[in-house]
Amino acid sequence: MILGAIEAGGTKFVCGIGNQNGEILERITIPTTTPAETLKQVIEFFQGKQIDALGVGSFGPVDLNPVSPTYGFITSTPKKNWNSFNLIGELKKHINVPIGFDTDVNAAALGEMEWGAANGLDSCLYMTVGTGVGVGAIAEGRLIHGMLHPEMGHILVRRHEDDSFQGCCPYHGDCLEGMAAGPAIESRWGQKGSELESNPKVWELEAYYLAQALVNYILILSPKRLILGGGVMKQEHLFPLIRENVAKLLNGYIKHENIFGKIDEYIVPPVLGDNAGLCGALALAKRL
Amino acid sequence: MILGAIEAGGTKFVCGIGNQNGEILERITIPTTTPAETLKQVIEFFQGKQIDALGVGSFGPVDLNPVSPTYGFITSTPKKNWNSFNLIGELKKHINVPIGFDTDVNAAALGEMEWGAANGLDSCLYMTVGTGVGVGAIAEGRLIHGMLHPEMGHILVRRHEDDSFQGCCPYHGDCLEGMAAGPAIESRWGQKGSELESNPKVWELEAYYLAQALVNYILILSPKRLILGGGVMKQEHLFPLIRENVAKLLNGYIKHENIFGKIDEYIVPPVLGDNAGLCGALALAKRL
């Protein structure tokens, strides 16, 4: 079975051809400019490729409701030209195979469950911390959608007592994304996170916010594994700090070995690494 | 089809006989004393009743993992004598029908979906605010379990700037339950909530905390309806305050008519009222 995959991001579209084992056989990266320009190249890539199905994990917000008239649209994004764009409709015009569609982070969660850090489990959560904070989740074996789709990157967090940064989320100011995404780090400290590796205060605050989010995710979803990826999480020293803060905040309330003895295996980096998104799209195609 | 239902609570067990339409034909209330004493009366009630299946919604924490050796147990409760009690095992010894088991709040969510405020939807959330804060949820048509089961009553909230109350959760101090459950109100103000109806500050704080929780639930689970019950929610004037705070905190980020125009139909009281728990247990039996 030959599967097509599209990781549709705000800065680039990554397209790939792969198989049901999660192996990527061929890939191409296309800059996200206008829908017409970008989609033209995407469609050209897939022409003549003989794929059996296509999976698309997209930046959002997107309409995932199969009975909605705007199913498959990128909806209210502030990204110029992409607001209300019928992504799946446009692809369907040119690529005549079943198309699976979900958010980029739901796709990544599914990819990690199929072939990565959550293999064999029926629930997990995938969080990416980079330009924004995005989170996808699987519960009871199913990707969570709902009224819209989860937007867990914007949950409310408590301010650290040493932190006077006002937050940079245009909607909420000091929500999780506003306090902990890459741009928040840069805005608070005047330098990119990658240049601040040796400043422990930067990571103390970062772990404090991310751990609060994980604690709320654990209490609300009770996932069997938490997978943390994205540019900011390349700072691997964040993992022990986050785990320590999670255990401290839960304070013995959740009596499970994942928290008490095995937290190193519970809060983990993605196994698929930077392929999580593309493999996730492949997993969306595999399910069809 | 005749169904049995048990709402197993920390102060009382409510047992009932009903049918697949959610009608309760007979009921009895038994005080929760010791497991031996309480279960004896429960079993007597069901003897000779010819039920086809039994549903049990229980106070927790409980073990819901069907392959666990302690499936059906009430696990680490501080409630004397009930810690590590094999509730379902004990019932099975005497009542020879299929038994469905879940948390009391998951059962209530299911009951509201079958016959109440979330009828026809495939996701919802049921929150009870009383002696504690308990929450059950359905996503993609399934009750959410996971590593353990959700414990959403204990999520982290931001303190109101006018509130110096330290919080009364023995684990977390000022988590949601520690700040907003009935005992928190009584401890903060020196009177029960039911005696404080005319003090607007009480309800300003209460709505502030409950709305934060709902915002995080919406961002994490994206449920199609939020149902709020329990003793504290008998103060019906809380509903408009909570809705107003939810809309304010989301600040236009979730673009959906449920938030913008129809929030009165989105955040609602239970239709089953005080029967939510028992009907929920009936719904657990119906599914078998």
Side-chain angles (χ1 to χ4, degrees):
Chain A
M1 195 186 254
I2 299 295
L3 303 170
I6 302 175
E7 183 188 3
T11 54
K12 61 181 195 286
F13 273 51
V14 185
C15 302
I17 303 294
N19 62 27
Q20 70 273 31
N21 303 318
E23 290 157 344
I24 308 287
L25 309 169
E26 189 184 343
R27 77 163 73 207
I28 188 177
T29 298
I30 296 159
T32 308
T33 55
T34 65
E37 207 170 65
T38 302
L39 269 281
K40 185 170 174 287
Q41 294 176 72
V42 167
I43 288 156
E44 275 171 10
F45 172 76
F46 285 106
Q47 258 156 13
K49 289 288 197 300
Q50 307 292 342
I51 55 173
D52 298 298
L54 174 64
V56 182
S58 178
F59 73 103
V62 288
D63 186 342
L64 300 174
N65 178 1
V67 301
S68 158
T70 54
Y71 171 78
F73 280 54
I74 295 173
T75 56
S76 56
T77 176
K79 196 167 170 62
K80 216 180 144 189
N81 299 315
W82 291 84
N83 193 302
S84 298
F85 174 63
N86 184 359
L87 175 61
I88 299 303
E90 194 56 33
L91 290 170
K92 268 189 197 298
K93 278 190 207 162
H94 303 277
I95 304 173
N96 188 27
V97 296
I99 301 182
F101 181 48
D102 216 310
T103 62
D104 44 7
V105 280
N106 262 354
L110 189 66
E112 289 289 334
M113 174 163 286
E114 278 284 340
W115 303 300
N119 190 239
L121 303 178
D122 66 355
S123 67
C124 75
L125 182 139
Y126 175 90
M127 171 157 84
T128 176
V129 189
T131 316
V133 178
V135 189
I138 295 170
E140 303 287 317
R142 298 191 183 191
L143 288 163
I144 296 183
H145 305 115
M147 178 174 72
L148 291 172
H149 46 71
E151 285 284 355
M152 307 191 206
H154 290 265
I155 67 165
L156 306 171
V157 288
R158 295 172 175 171
R159 178 177 292 278
H160 190 290
E161 59 181 3
D162 300 339
D163 191 8
S164 60
F165 178 57
Q166 64 181 14
C168 57
C169 170
Y171 287 93
H172 314 114
D174 58 1
C175 70
L176 175 68
E177 180 168 301
M179 296 305 264
I185 298 174
E186 190 172 350
S187 181
R188 181 189 288 112
W189 302 97
Q191 277 176 290
K192 283 184 191 301
S194 54
E195 294 156 2
L196 291 160
E197 203 163 335
S198 60
N199 181 341
K201 197 72 190 174
V202 174
W203 309 109
E204 181 194 331
L205 296 191
E206 188 67 12
Y208 178 80
Y209 294 119
L210 294 177
Q212 282 185 57
L214 297 195
V215 161
N216 282 352
Y217 302 153
I218 291 167
L219 292 168
I220 294 174
L221 286 165
S222 200
K224 292 180 181 168
R225 194 146 296 151
L226 301 163
I227 304 159
L228 276 53
V232 171
M233 293 309 302
K234 302 270 186 204
Q235 306 286 328
E236 288 176 16
H237 54 96
L238 263 174
F239 278 93
L241 291 175
I242 289 169
R243 293 179 188 125
E244 195 184 302
N245 273 278
V246 165
K248 194 170 141 197
L249 285 165
L250 286 173
N251 197 27
Y253 183 71
I254 300 293
K255 299 194 196 317
H256 193 282
E257 58 174 13
N258 280 347
I259 309 296
F260 284 117
K262 295 185 170 175
I263 199 165
D264 292 0
E265 298 162 41
Y266 183 54
I267 300 172
V268 298
V271 162
L272 302 172
D274 294 335
N275 273 337
L278 195 58
C279 285
L282 214 55
L284 290 172
K286 186 187 167 187
R287 287 197 316 175
L288 293 171
Chain B
M1 193 186 256
I2 298 296
L3 303 170
I6 302 176
E7 182 187 4
T11 53
K12 61 181 196 285
F13 273 52
V14 185
C15 302
I17 304 293
N19 61 25
Q20 69 274 29
N21 303 321
E23 290 157 346
I24 309 286
L25 309 169
E26 189 184 343
R27 76 163 73 206
I28 188 177
T29 297
I30 296 160
T32 307
T33 56
T34 64
E37 208 171 65
T38 303
L39 269 280
K40 185 171 173 286
Q41 294 176 72
V42 168
I43 289 156
E44 275 171 11
F45 171 77
F46 285 106
Q47 257 156 14
K49 289 286 197 301
Q50 306 293 340
I51 55 173
D52 298 297
L54 175 64
V56 183
S58 177
F59 74 104
V62 288
D63 186 344
L64 300 174
N65 177 1
V67 301
S68 159
T70 54
Y71 172 78
F73 280 52
I74 294 172
T75 58
S76 55
T77 176
K79 197 167 170 62
K80 218 181 143 189
N81 299 316
W82 291 84
N83 193 303
S84 298
F85 174 64
N86 185 357
L87 175 61
I88 298 305
E90 193 56 31
L91 290 169
K92 269 186 194 299
K93 279 189 206 162
H94 304 276
I95 304 173
N96 189 26
V97 297
I99 301 182
F101 181 49
D102 217 309
T103 62
D104 45 6
V105 280
N106 262 354
L110 190 67
E112 289 290 335
M113 175 163 285
E114 278 286 339
W115 303 299
N119 189 242
L121 303 178
D122 66 356
S123 69
C124 75
L125 183 138
Y126 175 88
M127 172 156 85
T128 175
V129 188
T131 317
V133 178
V135 189
I138 295 171
E140 303 288 318
R142 299 190 183 192
L143 288 163
I144 294 183
H145 306 116
M147 177 174 72
L148 293 172
H149 46 72
E151 284 284 355
M152 306 191 207
H154 290 264
I155 66 165
L156 306 170
V157 287
R158 295 172 176 170
R159 178 177 291 280
H160 191 288
E161 59 182 3
D162 299 337
D163 190 8
S164 61
F165 177 58
Q166 64 182 9
C168 58
C169 171
Y171 287 93
H172 314 114
D174 57 1
C175 70
L176 175 67
E177 181 168 300
M179 297 303 266
I185 298 173
E186 189 171 352
S187 181
R188 181 189 287 112
W189 301 98
Q191 276 176 291
K192 285 186 191 297
S194 54
E195 294 156 5
L196 291 159
E197 204 163 337
S198 60
N199 181 341
K201 196 72 190 176
V202 174
W203 309 109
E204 180 194 332
L205 296 190
E206 188 66 13
Y208 178 79
Y209 294 120
L210 295 176
Q212 282 186 57
L214 297 195
V215 161
N216 282 353
Y217 303 153
I218 291 167
L219 291 168
I220 293 174
L221 286 164
S222 201
K224 292 180 182 170
R225 194 147 295 150
L226 300 163
I227 304 158
L228 276 52
V232 171
M233 294 309 303
K234 302 269 187 204
Q235 304 286 329
E236 288 175 18
H237 53 97
L238 263 174
F239 278 92
L241 291 176
I242 290 170
R243 293 178 188 125
E244 193 184 303
N245 273 277
V246 165
K248 193 171 140 197
L249 285 166
L250 285 172
N251 195 29
Y253 183 70
I254 301 293
K255 297 191 195 323
H256 193 281
E257 60 176 10
N258 279 346
I259 308 296
F260 285 116
K262 296 186 170 175
I263 199 164
D264 291 1
E265 299 161 41
Y266 182 53
I267 299 172
V268 298
V271 162
L272 302 172
D274 294 335
N275 273 337
L278 195 60
C279 285
L282 215 55
L284 290 173
K286 187 187 166 188
R287 286 198 315 172
L288 295 170

